[in-house]
């Protein structure tokens, strides 16, 4: 029987960060997040599986679209920086997302846009300034070799 | 060279084991400068008063900044070093300088990888000694490019860059990284042809 007492590792929410490669003033580190930090949502599929009469044909995709929702602290100036970015240019270029697990690699997203800013709760009970960033995540790199 | 807020500093970290990484850092924003102007100005004065020029200043500037912040009262009870937004706090000036910095890392598996400087520190890709070296260089860059008299800024920044073999660039990170990778490729191709690239970017037979 396999040993069940293997090290389970730890999560560290202080590691979570978001870096806008060409606009570093938009970088978000631990001290600038609201409570929920960030969520990465992977859209669509990594591979298609096309039915045939006798089975299916695998068809891996080259990229996957990704939406990152980051919850900034609206009581800090960084939220205003992002608001300013919304007013001037939604195209923000490449973004690096570091997760709360040191075991996972960083997620390097290409050609990102600031897609939206969520509804702002103005009744003094929420620190959230939630932004959605959409970008491209290259997958199935073996297709090129 | 015109020294302004669009100028970025690139710090190479080259180790004896052959591994290397490059830290690309952008200057602090105007609002951040306006928050910490007093300690930044006093730090520049202290560096000048003690004769810490581009040869020695970049090795101690962050230490001087912290010492000045500790000695500068913010109100009756606190100083500029302590607290979350103090110079050494988690959203303070030094954290802001780290936040504005990226690393370009050459990896065996994934080629070139871009990560935030904070991530490189968290993952111990940069040793404590290297972190200290980097923070001192960045503190000197910050103070010299924002506080020094305008006519002295090129002398200080260019002097530091030449002595410590740094690169000063107005290119955005992606643009700089792209040209850097091309240069590295050219150097390694040259090396294969029987030449050894030297650290100042020239090739010798």
């Amino acid at each position: 029987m396999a040993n069940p007492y293997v090290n389970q590792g730890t999560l560290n929410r202080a590691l979570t960060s978001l870096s806008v490669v060409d606009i570093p003033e938009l970088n978000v580190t631990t001290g600038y997040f609201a409570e929920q930090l960030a969520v990465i949502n992977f859209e669509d599929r990594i591979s298609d599986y096309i039915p045939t009469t006798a089975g299916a044909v695998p068809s891996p995709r080259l990229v996957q679209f990704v939406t990152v929702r980051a919850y900034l602290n609206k009581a800090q100036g960084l939220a205003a920086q992002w608001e300013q970015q919304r007013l001037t240019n939604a195209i923000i270029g490449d973004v690096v997302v570091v997760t709360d697990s040191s075991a996972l690699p960083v997620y390097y997203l290409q050609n990102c846009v600031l897609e939206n800013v969520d509804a702002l709760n103005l009744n003094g009970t929420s620190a959230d300034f939630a932004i959605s960033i959409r970008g491209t995540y290259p997958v199935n790199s073996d297709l090129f070799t | 060279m015109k020294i302004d807020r669009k100028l970025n500093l690139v710090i190479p970290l080259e180790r004896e084991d052959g591994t290397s990484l490059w830290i690309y850092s952008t200057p602090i924003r105007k609002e951040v400068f306006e928050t910490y102007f007093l300690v930044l100005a006093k730090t520049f004065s202290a560096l000048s008063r003690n004769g810490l020029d581009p040869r020695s200043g970049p090795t101690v500037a962050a230490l001087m900044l912290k010492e000045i912040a500790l000695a500068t009262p913010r109100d009756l009870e606190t100083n500029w070093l302590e607290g979350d937004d103090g110079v050494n706090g988690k959203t303070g000036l030094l954290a802001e300088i780290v936040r504005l910095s990226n690393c370009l890392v050459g990896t065996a598996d994934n080629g070139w990888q871009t990560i935030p400087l904070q991530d490189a520190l968290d993952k111990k890709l940069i040793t404590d000694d290297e972190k200290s070296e980097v923070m001192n260089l960045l503190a000197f860059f910050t103070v010299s490019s924002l506080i020094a008299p305008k006519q002295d800024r090129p002398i200080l920044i260019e002097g530091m860059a030449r002595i410590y073999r740094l690169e000063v660039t107005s290119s955005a990170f992606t643009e700089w990284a792209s040209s850097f990778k091309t240069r590295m490729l050219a150097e390694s191709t040259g090396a294969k042809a029987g030449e050894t690239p030297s650290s100042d970017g020239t090739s010798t037979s």
Side-chain angles (χ1 to χ4, degrees):
Chain A
M1 190 175 134
N3 176 14
Y5 301 111
V6 292
N7 186 348
Q8 299 298 292
T10 53
L11 297 180
N12 182 352
R13 67 193 73 190
L15 294 178
T16 303
S17 70
L18 188 153
S19 171
V20 182
V21 171
D22 277 339
I23 318 174
E25 56 265 36
L26 296 178
N27 289 356
V28 190
T29 49
T30 320
Y32 296 91
F33 280 111
E35 193 178 8
Q36 294 186 74
L37 295 162
V39 177
I40 306 178
N41 181 32
F42 301 94
E43 301 165 26
D44 297 329
R45 291 183 289 265
I46 304 162
S47 178
D48 293 316
Y49 200 58
I50 303 163
T52 60
T53 302
V57 178
S59 177
R61 295 186 176 193
L62 297 177
V63 296
Q64 199 172 15
F65 296 127
V66 172
T67 300
V68 179
R69 178 161 295 178
Y71 295 85
L72 277 58
N73 177 358
K74 76 175 178 207
Q76 292 175 319
L78 187 56
Q81 285 278 116
W82 277 92
E83 181 61 41
Q84 185 60 32
Q85 191 66 33
R86 162 155 74 162
L87 295 175
T88 52
N89 193 351
I91 299 170
I92 57 174
D94 296 355
V95 168
V96 182
V97 182
V98 181
T99 74
D100 57 357
S101 163
S102 56
L104 279 178
V106 299
Y107 287 87
Y108 194 98
L109 312 178
Q110 300 173 340
N111 293 327
C112 295
V113 294
L114 173 59
E115 195 174 57
N116 209 351
V117 177
D118 279 10
L120 288 173
N121 184 337
L122 306 181
N123 67 2
T125 61
S126 168
D128 288 348
F129 184 89
I131 55 171
S132 296
I133 295 165
R134 195 148 187 250
T136 304
Y137 186 52
V139 291
N140 292 310
S141 61
D142 278 1
L143 291 174
F144 292 99
T145 57
Chain B
M1 181 195 295
K2 187 183 172 204
I3 306 296
D4 58 23
R5 284 181 200 278
K6 290 178 183 162
L7 216 52
N8 310 297
L9 186 68
V10 180
I11 303 172
L13 290 181
E14 294 172 80
R15 288 75 173 259
E16 286 176 0
D17 64 1
T19 60
S20 48
L21 60 84
W22 289 263
I23 294 160
Y24 172 103
S25 189
T26 56
I28 58 172
R29 287 172 293 133
K30 191 168 169 240
E31 301 79 39
V32 177
F33 171 77
E34 287 174 357
T35 302
Y36 297 98
F37 71 93
L38 183 59
V39 281
L40 287 169
K42 287 175 79 172
T43 302
F44 180 72
S45 294
L47 290 170
S48 305
R49 195 171 55 247
N50 289 288
L52 299 172
D53 59 14
R55 281 170 296 187
S56 51
T59 58
V60 296
L63 299 173
M64 183 67 87
L65 178 67
K66 285 194 251 186
E67 192 173 296
I68 293 291
L70 181 64
T72 305
R74 199 169 187 175
D75 52 42
L76 289 175
E77 293 174 354
T78 60
N79 58 57
W80 272 99
L81 184 69
E82 294 156 355
D84 279 356
D85 61 347
V87 163
N88 211 26
K90 65 180 181 183
T91 57
L93 179 60
L94 292 173
E96 178 69 3
I97 290 172
V98 170
R99 187 181 77 83
L100 295 172
S101 305
N102 283 321
C103 282
L104 184 67
V105 187
T107 63
D109 301 333
N110 302 316
W112 296 102
Q113 201 174 26
T114 302
I115 57 172
L117 175 57
Q118 186 60 59
D119 191 41
L121 294 171
D122 292 338
K123 290 179 175 159
K124 306 284 182 201
L125 299 179
I126 295 173
T127 66
D128 288 344
D129 284 348
E130 288 170 335
K131 181 187 176 187
S132 169
E133 181 188 334
V134 167
M135 293 313 297
N136 281 306
L137 287 166
L138 291 175
F140 189 84
F141 176 67
T142 303
V143 165
S144 301
S145 59
L146 297 175
I147 301 289
K150 276 191 178 163
Q151 65 274 18
D152 292 344
R153 292 177 192 178
I155 300 166
L156 293 169
I157 300 297
E158 283 175 13
M160 174 183 73
R162 202 163 293 165
I163 293 165
Y164 289 87
R165 300 189 173 182
L166 314 175
E167 193 179 331
V168 183
T169 176
S170 55
S171 302
F173 180 84
T174 311
E175 192 185 342
W176 169 80
S178 173
S179 81
F180 172 79
K181 289 171 198 171
T182 308
R183 269 184 283 151
M184 290 295 282
L185 188 64
E187 279 187 11
S188 66
T189 309
K192 275 179 196 163
E195 293 180 327
T196 308
S198 66
S199 54
D200 63 359
T202 58
S203 294
T204 53
S205 298

